[in-house]
Amino acid sequence: MRNQNFELPSARGESECLLSMTAAAIDLLSLLGSSLDFGGIQSKLMDSCLLRLQKGFVINGQEAAAIAMLLQFTETIQHDLKTSMEQNVRSENVLRVFLDTICTMGVQQEVAKAISKTVDEDGNVKDGASPELQRARVQYRMLETKVQELVKGMLREQEVGASTQEVDGRYCIAVSNEYQRTFPGLLLKSGGSTSYIEPVVLVSLNDKLGEARAAVSKAEYEALRVLTKKLLSLVESLTSLLEAVIQLDVVVARAKFSLMYEGSMPAFTGAQVETKSPKPGQGLSLQLRHAYHPLLLHQYKEHLHLQRARIRTRQKEASMELLPPVSIDISVAWNTRVVTITGPNTGGKTAAMKTLGLTALMAKSGLYVLAKEPAFLPWFDAVFADIGDEQSLFQSLSTFSGHLRRINDIKKLSTKDSLVLLDEVGTGTNPNEGAALGMSILESFASDKEGGAFLTIASTHHAELKTLKYSDNRFENASVEFDEESLKPTYRLLWGVPGRSCALNISERLGISKSILQAAERHLGLANAEINQVIMDLEKSKRDFENGIIEAEKYLKNAKVLHGNIKEAAEVVQEEEQNAAVQASNLIQEEAHKARASISSIHQRKLSILEKSPATMPSHAETSPVKGLILNLEGKEFIGRVGSTVFVPRLGKEAKVVQVLSGKRMVVVQSGSIQLRVSFSDVKL
């Protein structure tokens, strides 16, 4: 797909809309069970094709094939979008705009058929594009075959190592210069030791072949002209369709990135000037837990992929150790306007600021952020950064001057909703003056009256800037951790803890003389040593606190797993109980059925014995007053006799049995002066 000129959203609502689309695209990818591939859309060819159509020019075969590919992809994506929308409400709400745009192309089938009839997938015009083209190609192939056979015959007659070649569309024979006279004809070309001869017998055929080739080209052009005429009225629709597919490609790309790096959907907190903020120190305007720099994480994943490939191919280089990037935690209170990060060089101060800046831009652009949920931050209208050395030999700018010029530009452009990142503020000049200037710069960014930013993050080596927190609640301190045992930075960001000097401790471990270190401590003074000790205690407390949080999260995760296992086990037990109840019920019904069948068999045998007994069998079995079988309404069998009293539901009262008609399974009953013949099933004992 083509590169689009992407502009950052100018309002918070636009960013939230982009994030909603990203979330819907993630649902879409999940529902489809596979990733959408936009690689077949040849956007550059489509751009040139649409431009030619707008100017009324005839398109070529490759451009026509690009339109066919776009329409084919559109048909597929229409089906996928409709399926996703039917199964997911969120997808229906935010992907409707893309589906509506794509579905406006109501003539897709007709256009696709016309293109398919004219060109193949590679853009070659088909023989069947028109009758004229088909006839022209048949004629051309016949002539070409005749020429080739004639040349082959000539080569068989003269075994001189010659071969068939084509020069400027004319068939000829390539032969060594020494055998040039073997084939009388025209010399078309001579290069080095080879001559290209057009034999006399081929001249006329080559002329006819050229005419046939021109006829084919003319017929191809005419077929494309007819196709172009059909597409002229669809330029606007095709343009809208291409734009919709490109926009969808961008949304899906954001979703794939978010899935690949296991990002979290960020939430935007309200602007400080628009929201009733909590009391100072209460509530957070920004929280990013275990946040990663996207480029560092990408680099790690690429190296990990390469290492796995080397392991599969058993390369020795695969044994090198690969360490993942270190994540950072950032928590900013509502009342905080400036955060000062201090600590040793190469400790991760700049990387931490870049991580925050990129995360803010990612959220604003509709990308998920590389941090754990919940992740929330303000919506920044812009992110300004003064990071790196701005010295210039051409402009006679020193490092100090370069920083000041950039900071001055940021000051003019930043607003109350901006994020400002300042690296090594106040550096490059006299330490005392640099510290004083740095303090004034940060105070100006914290002040609404002086056009301050919503949030400013500044790194520095000036210890004086750390003291701003203790006189102004708009300031906060942070530092990068340093492991004195290994003499290496851990790259962890300690929030709320000012950085401390590690130079003397490092010097001691490196073997510097004790007398030198003691003299250095005297120069620093006891107060500075006590401050460093307090900071060390704060760092330890911070580490213990964070380790406690990690352990608590681990216990919480285990508890969730156990809860899920218990819930699953309870569902299994419930299902087993239900299955057991069904099986017991089926067994009872089966046994009851067997019992009823057995009872019925016994009664049938008794009835048969009664009917065959000479003492009770009359000459007319139907009218004889003998014992008979009577069935009640519930299907239970009873033996009744003449004279028995039964209940007749049809009469609603009792009656006396006066006759049993066993053959017809009926009985004659009498109630008062009424006699009635009813079936066995219509009486009850």
Side-chain angles (χ1 to χ4, degrees):
M1 298 291 286
R2 71 183 179 201
N3 295 325
Q4 277 195 308
N5 293 326
F6 180 76
E7 294 184 2
L8 287 171
S10 58
R12 170 177 169 172
E14 294 179 25
S15 296
E16 291 174 337
C17 181
L18 292 177
L19 285 169
S20 298
M21 290 180 180
T22 303
I26 289 174
D27 293 339
L28 177 64
L29 294 174
S30 175
L31 288 169
L32 295 179
S34 60
S35 60
L36 294 174
D37 184 11
F38 293 80
I41 306 300
Q42 303 179 57
S43 56
K44 289 185 178 180
L45 266 178
M46 280 298 305
D47 286 339
S48 67
C49 174
L50 293 172
L51 182 61
R52 291 168 71 89
L53 286 172
Q54 289 170 358
K55 294 182 177 181
F57 296 160
V58 175
I59 63 174
N60 59 42
Q62 288 73 28
E63 291 168 343
I67 295 177
M69 182 64 71
L70 174 65
L71 297 180
Q72 182 180 355
F73 176 83
T74 301
E75 185 178 358
T76 302
I77 197 62
Q78 279 182 2
H79 176 268
D80 293 341
L81 286 173
K82 288 177 180 177
T83 301
S84 176
M85 289 168 57
E86 290 173 358
Q87 299 181 23
N88 189 285
V89 176
R90 184 166 60 178
S91 294
E92 180 178 5
N93 292 336
V94 299
L95 294 181
R96 171 65 64 182
V97 60
F98 297 110
L99 185 62
D100 288 346
T101 303
I102 292 174
C103 285
T104 57
M105 192 65 180
V107 292
Q108 286 187 27
Q109 294 298 329
E110 292 76 7
V111 174
K113 288 180 181 178
I115 296 175
S116 177
K117 180 183 176 182
T118 306
V119 300
D120 60 18
E121 294 180 355
D122 297 323
N124 301 312
V125 182
K126 294 182 176 179
D127 290 351
S130 69
E132 294 78 12
L133 176 60
Q134 192 164 18
R135 287 194 298 268
R137 282 186 173 169
V138 168
Q139 179 66 21
Y140 175 79
R141 287 168 186 151
M142 289 175 58
L143 287 170
E144 187 178 42
T145 301
K146 187 175 181 180
V147 170
Q148 290 175 348
E149 289 179 351
L150 182 59
V151 172
K152 288 179 181 178
M154 297 174 66
L155 293 178
R156 282 195 298 269
E157 293 177 1
Q158 304 291 340
E159 298 180 0
V160 292
S163 63
T164 305
Q165 295 292 331
E166 191 174 351
V167 177
D168 297 331
R170 302 182 72 86
Y171 279 92
C172 62
I173 295 175
V175 64
S176 298
N177 293 335
E178 56 184 302
Y179 298 111
Q180 180 178 342
R181 297 184 181 277
T182 306
F183 303 96
L186 303 176
L187 178 63
L188 299 183
K189 187 175 72 169
S190 179
S193 61
T194 304
S195 297
Y196 297 86
I197 307 298
E198 180 183 13
V200 176
V201 294
L202 291 183
V203 174
S204 177
L205 287 175
N206 272 331
D207 290 341
K208 292 180 180 180
L209 192 62
E211 293 173 359
R213 187 182 294 113
V216 169
S217 298
K218 182 179 178 181
E220 289 177 348
Y221 179 84
E222 181 62 21
L224 291 172
R225 188 191 66 78
V226 172
L227 177 62
T228 300
K229 188 175 180 181
K230 293 180 180 180
L231 296 173
L232 285 176
S233 61
L234 304 175
V235 175
E236 187 176 345
S237 297
L238 288 171
T239 302
S240 299
L241 183 62
L242 179 62
E243 290 300 325
V245 171
I246 291 174
Q247 289 180 43
L248 185 58
D249 182 24
V250 173
V251 175
V252 172
R254 294 202 304 264
K256 289 181 179 180
F257 175 88
S258 302
L259 289 172
M260 181 184 298
Y261 294 101
E262 300 178 358
S264 301
M265 184 174 183
F268 292 114
T269 53
Q272 190 172 12
V273 295
E274 299 173 356
T275 304
K276 293 182 178 179
S277 304
K279 294 180 180 179
Q282 296 181 357
L284 299 175
S285 65
L286 187 153
Q287 176 176 285
L288 297 173
R289 297 170 55 246
H290 300 288
Y292 287 97
H293 190 297
L295 297 181
L296 294 179
L297 188 59
H298 173 72
Q299 185 182 47
Y300 168 72
K301 285 185 174 291
E302 279 195 335
H303 289 173
L304 187 64
H305 177 73
L306 179 61
Q307 188 179 64
R308 288 171 177 170
R310 286 173 173 172
I311 291 175
R312 285 194 297 269
T313 57
R314 299 180 179 180
Q315 295 183 19
K316 294 182 179 180
E317 299 94 312
S319 60
M320 60 182 295
E321 185 179 7
L322 186 63
L323 298 177
V326 178
S327 63
I328 62 172
D329 295 335
I330 303 176
S331 301
V332 180
W334 269 110
N335 61 297
T336 300
R337 301 292 298 277
V338 177
V339 177
T340 303
I341 304 178
T342 51
N345 288 326
T346 69
K349 299 188 298 296
T350 304
M353 290 195 297
K354 289 181 177 179
T355 299
L356 175 57
L358 287 172
T359 299
L361 293 174
M362 288 168 64
K364 186 175 182 179
S365 304
L367 283 166
Y368 279 21
V369 299
L370 307 186
K372 282 190 175 182
E373 292 183 346
F376 54 87
L377 69 166
W379 185 87
F380 297 110
D381 63 354
V383 177
F384 298 98
D386 172 33
I387 297 176
D389 192 347
E390 288 298 310
Q391 65 177 330
S392 172
L393 296 178
F394 295 103
Q395 299 182 27
S396 300
L397 290 176
S398 65
T399 299
F400 178 71
S401 301
H403 278 296
L404 285 185
R405 188 184 65 171
R406 178 65 68 88
I407 291 173
N408 188 49
D409 292 339
I410 292 174
K411 190 65 182 168
K412 293 176 182 178
L413 296 173
S414 62
T415 72
K416 56 182 175 55
D417 295 322
S418 300
L419 171 64
V420 175
L421 306 173
L422 304 177
D423 190 26
E424 301 294 353
V425 63
T427 192
T429 187
N430 177 275
N432 293 331
E433 292 182 352
L437 184 60
M439 294 175 71
S440 299
I441 290 173
L442 296 186
E443 287 173 340
S444 71
F445 276 109
S447 174
D448 291 329
K449 294 181 180 180
E450 298 184 36
F454 182 86
L455 179 63
T456 300
I457 310 292
S459 68
T460 184
H461 283 289
H462 295 299
E464 292 84 350
L465 272 63
K466 296 185 290 187
T467 63
L468 290 171
K469 172 184 177 179
Y470 306 108
S471 59
D472 192 334
N473 60 14
R474 297 173 300 174
F475 286 79
E476 180 58 273
N477 283 329
S479 61
V480 287
E481 188 180 46
F482 188 85
D483 186 353
E484 295 185 13
E485 295 294 330
S486 63
L487 300 181
K488 293 180 180 179
T490 65
Y491 304 109
R492 295 178 62 213
L493 190 62
L494 303 179
W495 212 255
V497 178
R500 59 186 175 87
S501 173
C502 301
L504 295 183
N505 294 346
I506 294 173
S507 300
E508 182 179 3
R509 293 185 180 279
L510 292 176
I512 299 299
S513 169
K514 287 187 177 181
S515 60
I516 295 176
L517 294 175
Q518 290 172 355
E521 288 177 353
R522 286 195 300 271
H523 290 309
L524 283 174
L526 181 61
N528 187 78
E530 292 176 347
I531 291 174
N532 274 342
Q533 184 59 47
V534 170
I535 294 176
M536 289 177 64
D537 294 339
L538 284 173
E539 289 179 356
K540 183 178 182 304
S541 300
K542 185 74 173 180
R543 285 194 298 269
D544 293 342
F545 176 73
E546 291 178 349
N547 291 335
I549 291 178
I550 293 173
E551 189 173 3
E553 288 179 344
K554 182 176 68 176
Y555 286 138
L556 179 60
K557 183 178 180 181
N558 292 338
K560 289 181 178 179
V561 172
L562 289 175
H563 178 267
N565 293 340
I566 293 172
K567 184 179 180 181
E568 184 178 351
E571 292 174 352
V572 171
V573 170
Q574 184 179 4
E575 184 178 356
E576 292 294 335
E577 289 178 347
Q578 292 175 351
N579 292 337
V582 171
Q583 292 176 1
S585 176
N586 292 338
L587 182 61
I588 292 172
Q589 292 180 10
E590 184 179 352
E591 294 299 326
H593 177 73
K594 290 179 181 179
R596 285 194 296 270
S598 178
I599 293 172
S600 176
S601 177
I602 294 172
H603 287 291
Q604 289 292 342
R605 288 198 299 272
K606 287 183 177 180
L607 179 60
S608 178
I609 294 171
L610 289 174
E611 290 177 345
K612 294 179 181 179
S613 174
T616 59
M617 186 176 296
S619 57
H620 301 286
E622 287 188 350
T623 59
S624 299
V626 297
K627 293 181 179 180
L629 181 65
I630 299 177
L631 298 177
N632 69 355
L633 293 175
E634 286 78 20
K636 296 180 180 179
E637 299 180 351
F638 300 89
I639 299 297
R641 298 174 180 274
V642 173
S644 299
T645 300
V646 295
F647 179 80
V648 183
R650 188 184 302 178
L651 299 175
K653 56 184 177 179
E654 293 182 339
K656 183 178 291 186
V657 178
V658 295
Q659 251 184 333
V660 177
L661 308 177
S662 301
K664 295 184 178 181
R665 299 186 65 77
M666 300 186 74
V667 63
V668 178
V669 297
Q670 182 171 355
S671 177
S673 59
I674 300 175
Q675 278 197 355
L676 185 66
R677 179 183 291 187
V678 296
S679 66
F680 286 174
S681 61
D682 290 335
V683 297
K684 290 183 178 181
L685 288 176

